[in-house]
Amino acid sequence: MANMTSSASAASVAAELASAPLEQVDALLERYAEDPRQQVQKACDRARRRRDKELAERERVNEMYQNMLELGGDGVVVGVDEVGRGSVAGPLTVCAVCLPPEPRIWGINDSKQLSPARREILASKIAEVATAIGICHIAPARIDEIGMARALREAVAGAVADTGLTPDCVLMDGNPLGAVPNEKDVVKGDAHIACIAAASIVAKVTRDDLMVELDAEYPSYHLAQSKGYASAEHIQAIKEQGLTPVHRATFCGNFLETGRLF
């Protein structure tokens, strides 16, 4: 076997092993199993570890899809998640996503477990694959008017309606809301159900982009960095400058010595 591979440099073999798709790794490992070069054998060890890691990741994602099918049933299934519930500025954002069983979106996960760059990549893949995506924003003034519990129900109903679908099952992250018909609530569903994870990713990317836009309008409030949550810099800006129209006044009382607005 060593004679068969001697024409390829050790560096080129290592590069081939490092870049090979998962489906080709086993064949390459078999090809280079008897290669005596140390660099090649180290590359084989790295390839085995990468293969094992990717297989475990695919098993995790396959389980998320299986959970979606088992809990959602055979009809139209929509996953729902929110972002921004605890922030003091910006909207409450809810996303609803309907995913087909195939193709699978490898790497899908609870958005909180993903880097911003990874979320962006996955959000693009979800947009390509999803049967439907719905988004609903509830503005700060509306949250102040009706409270968070009702705002959540409005946002969930709005996001599901925005898909244009009539779901047979709505799988929702968290505790029961009673926001839509056929609602089924799953605690930590964003980590265990494929369509809820997809909704969490799209909701997060969509709202984060919006907060960056709002930061350009109100640059001294650190909205791009804090995403509207109560970071130390954001709280200090509220104390020094008061509230803007994008703040939730009912969430900010503890930060204000006066009720002044921007």
Side-chain angles (χ1 to χ4, degrees):
M1 184 66 68
N3 290 336
M4 294 175 62
T5 61
S6 60
S7 60
S9 70
S12 64
V13 172
E16 183 181 17
L17 284 163
S19 62
L22 177 64
E23 293 74 16
Q24 298 176 15
V25 171
D26 283 342
L28 290 173
L29 288 172
E30 183 178 356
R31 181 189 305 173
Y32 297 114
E34 303 300 327
D35 193 305
R37 292 171 292 185
Q38 185 178 28
Q39 184 178 0
V40 172
Q41 289 308 308
K42 286 183 177 180
C44 286
D45 288 341
R46 290 193 295 270
R48 289 188 193 94
R49 291 194 295 271
R50 177 169 68 88
R51 176 201 61 191
D52 293 345
K53 183 178 179 180
E54 289 189 25
L55 287 173
E57 170 65 8
R58 291 200 175 191
E59 183 177 354
R60 182 189 67 80
V61 172
N62 282 331
E63 184 176 347
M64 294 181 77
Y65 275 86
Q66 186 61 35
N67 290 339
M68 179 178 75
L69 293 173
E70 289 180 358
L71 287 174
D74 296 328
V76 176
V77 180
V78 169
V80 174
D81 201 6
E82 59 79 23
V83 66
R85 183 190 308 202
S87 73
V88 299
L92 168 70
T93 299
V94 170
C95 178
V97 176
C98 180
L99 285 182
E102 299 287 346
R104 306 226 155 157
I105 304 173
W106 304 117
I108 201 169
N109 203 346
D110 171 10
S111 64
K112 296 185 290 297
Q113 302 300 317
L114 302 167
S115 68
R118 189 65 180 149
R119 286 196 295 263
E120 291 279 356
I121 292 169
L122 287 168
S124 295
K125 291 183 179 179
I126 292 164
E128 293 173 3
V129 169
T131 305
I133 295 175
I135 297 282
C136 184
H137 302 288
I138 303 296
R142 181 63 174 165
I143 296 171
D144 285 336
E145 178 187 355
I146 64 176
M148 181 53 68
R150 184 173 167 190
L152 274 168
R153 291 193 293 272
E154 284 192 2
V156 169
V160 172
D162 194 48
T163 65
L165 304 175
T166 303
D168 297 295
C169 181
V170 176
L171 295 173
M172 190 179 310
D173 182 54
N175 297 309
L177 284 178
V180 291
N182 305 314
E183 176 185 318
K184 187 177 289 187
D185 303 281
V186 185
V187 175
K188 297 185 179 179
D190 50 4
H192 299 292
I193 310 294
C195 56
I196 299 179
S200 79
I201 292 167
V202 176
K204 177 65 173 167
V205 169
T206 300
R207 188 179 184 278
D208 281 1
D209 288 347
L210 179 58
M211 296 311 296
V212 171
E213 293 176 10
L214 291 175
D215 183 78
E217 294 185 42
Y218 305 100
S220 60
Y221 285 84
H222 309 278
L223 297 178
Q225 293 77 21
S226 70
K227 302 302 184 288
Y229 288 85
S231 68
E233 295 83 2
H234 189 185
I235 292 172
Q236 189 61 34
I238 292 172
K239 289 180 177 179
E240 293 175 355
Q241 303 172 60
L243 302 182
T244 74
V246 301
H247 282 94
R248 304 172 187 176
T250 54
F251 284 47
C252 297
N254 292 336
F255 310 143
L256 291 172
E257 294 181 4
T258 68
R260 62 196 179 98
L261 297 177
F262 182 86

